[in-house]
């Protein structure tokens, strides 16, 4: 398995849960993944609790899943906040739910993954987590 396998899986299953934390309480939320030139991006707002949590603690884990629960992709990562106006504008132009944002809005957060480790898991791997291949990217 390699990074291309990760991108392919995400393209087929673009919705994931992202875990953040506030103090000692974990929180998970569903996010739609944006892939641009084989790079993974997400958006949110500082007006939301999730945006505030990400700005305070970038350590996270993501989980993607086939609808039949046969395969899962887990990514342990650091969420890297970016200020790339070109990508922000591209997403505003192509995602209806972002149309209300302005590229210069300081509350509009664009983030990607860095220092990441991915693991594919199937039901056959149950109780074998420690032996699964780790893909670093």
């Amino acid at each position: 398995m390699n990074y291309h396998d990760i991108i392919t899986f995400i393209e087929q299953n673009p919705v994931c849960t992202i875990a953040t934390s506030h103090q000692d309480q974990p929180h998970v939320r569903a996010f739609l993944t944006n892939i641009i030139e084989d790079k993974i991006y997400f958006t949110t707002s500082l007006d939301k609790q999730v945006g505030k949590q990400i700005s305070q603690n970038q350590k996270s884990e993501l989980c993607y899943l086939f609808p039949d629960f046969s395969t899962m992709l887990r990514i342990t990562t650091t969420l890297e906040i970016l200020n790339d106006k070109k990508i922000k504008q591209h997403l505003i132009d192509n995602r209806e739910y972002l149309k209300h944002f302005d590229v210069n809005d300081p509350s509009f957060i664009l983030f990607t993954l860095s220092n990441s480790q991915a693991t594919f898991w199937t039901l056959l791997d149950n109780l074998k987590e420690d032996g699964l291949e780790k893909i670093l990217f």
Side-chain angles (χ1 to χ4, degrees), residues 64-110:
Y64 293 88
L65 187 63
F66 272 162
D68 67 358
F69 198 68
S70 64
T71 306
M72 178 189 309
L73 169 62
R74 290 177 55 193
I75 302 173
T76 303
T77 192
T78 300
L79 303 175
E80 180 182 349
I81 298 172
L82 306 172
N83 190 24
D84 188 319
K85 290 183 180 182
K86 181 180 175 188
I87 294 172
K88 283 183 176 183
Q89 190 62 58
H90 172 80
L91 293 171
I92 289 169
D93 293 343
N94 290 284
R95 296 289 190 191
E96 187 64 34
Y97 64 92
L98 297 175
K99 297 287 186 204
H100 67 282
F101 279 111
D102 179 271
V103 72
N104 295 307
D105 182 345
S107 72
F108 181 38
I109 298 175
L110 172 69

Side-chain angles (χ1 to χ4, degrees), residues 10-53:
I10 293 172
E11 287 174 336
Q12 294 170 356
N13 307 278
V15 175
C16 71
T17 55
I18 295 182
T20 62
S21 64
H22 178 68
Q23 297 173 349
D24 68 341
Q25 179 63 49
H27 299 274
V28 295
R29 292 164 187 89
F31 273 80
L32 180 61
T33 308
N34 301 283
I35 297 178
I36 301 170
E37 297 179 5
D38 282 342
K39 189 154 174 133
I40 300 165
Y41 296 98
F42 300 93
T43 59
T44 192
S45 172
L46 283 174
D47 295 332
K48 297 172 68 172
Q49 290 299 313
V50 67
K52 293 173 187 169
Q53 291 162 9

